[in-house]
């Protein structure tokens, strides 16, 4: 089973024009979206963990993309929230970030984070992809683009995790 980035998000988690000029504001806004969608229990605890992780080691990469994340308790399912900023979000490391992918990782899905992170990093380095992403004005357009990004091995990882937790016979 081939999974895509679209399998880990939903329309309410896709923000074509993220308000906020700094890293903390961007992560906070996307954390609230994750809680509103029922993906996490406590947006404040999630926000604090994601921000602390990112302060320790910046998730911003060349090209104006960042992948902050938090994992563990209170995260109901593997989730990706995306916020875009045409003006750019000032990241603590001095970067200007235009696409923030905030990732929530349940404890059982830690291996999946590596597959998703790799897929996003590869995709963001493709010529023209970020430009096309930034041209999206509606969540539906963002979901369509993310649904075209394959996540190698994600299907087998999620099946193994469900088997390990007793969700699949």
């Amino acid at each position: 089973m081939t999974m895509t980035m679209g399998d880990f998000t939903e329309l309410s988690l896709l923000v074509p024009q993220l308000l906020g000029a700094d890293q903390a504001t961007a992560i906070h806004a996307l954390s609230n979206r994750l809680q509103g969608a029922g993906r996490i229990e406590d947006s404040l605890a999630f926000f604090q963990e994601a921000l602390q992780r990112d302060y320790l080691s910046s998730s911003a990469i060349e090209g104006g993309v960042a992948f902050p994340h938090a994992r563990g308790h209170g995260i109901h399912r593997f989730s990706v929230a995306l916020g875009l900023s045409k003006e750019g979000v000032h990241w603590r490391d001095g970067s200007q970030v235009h696409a923030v992918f905030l990732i929530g990782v349940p404890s059982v899905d830690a291996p999946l984070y590596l597959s998703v992170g790799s897929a996003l990093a590869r995709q963001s380095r493709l010529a023209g992809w970020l430009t096309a992403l930034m041209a999206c004005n509606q969540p539906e357009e963002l979901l369509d683009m993310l649904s075209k990004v394959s996540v190698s091995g994600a299907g087998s990882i999620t099946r193994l995790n469900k088997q390990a937790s007793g969700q699949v016979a």
Side-chain angles (χ1 to χ4, degrees), residues 29-128:
L30 293 172
S31 296
N32 286 336
R33 293 277 183 138
L34 287 167
Q35 183 175 352
R39 303 279 185 125
I40 61 173
E41 285 178 22
D42 181 352
S43 66
L44 182 59
F46 182 87
F47 158 73
Q48 289 172 332
E49 182 181 341
L51 190 63
Q52 181 178 21
R53 280 180 178 275
D54 216 70
Y55 276 5
L56 293 174
S57 179
S58 178
S59 66
I61 65 170
E62 195 174 313
V65 182
F67 309 103
H69 74 285
R71 57 182 165 194
H73 179 73
I75 301 170
H76 300 298
R77 62 191 263 213
F78 194 97
S79 300
V80 177
L82 167 61
L84 302 178
S85 172
K86 290 174 179 46
E87 299 81 30
V89 174
H90 176 73
W91 223 247
R92 188 171 180 262
D93 67 1
S95 303
Q96 277 297 106
V97 171
H98 296 281
V100 180
F101 290 88
L102 181 60
I103 304 170
V105 186
S107 297
V108 298
D109 287 333
L112 182 57
Y113 171 72
L114 297 175
S115 293
V116 168
S118 294
L120 284 172
R122 273 192 313 275
Q123 192 68 32
S124 67
R125 288 188 172 98
L126 291 178

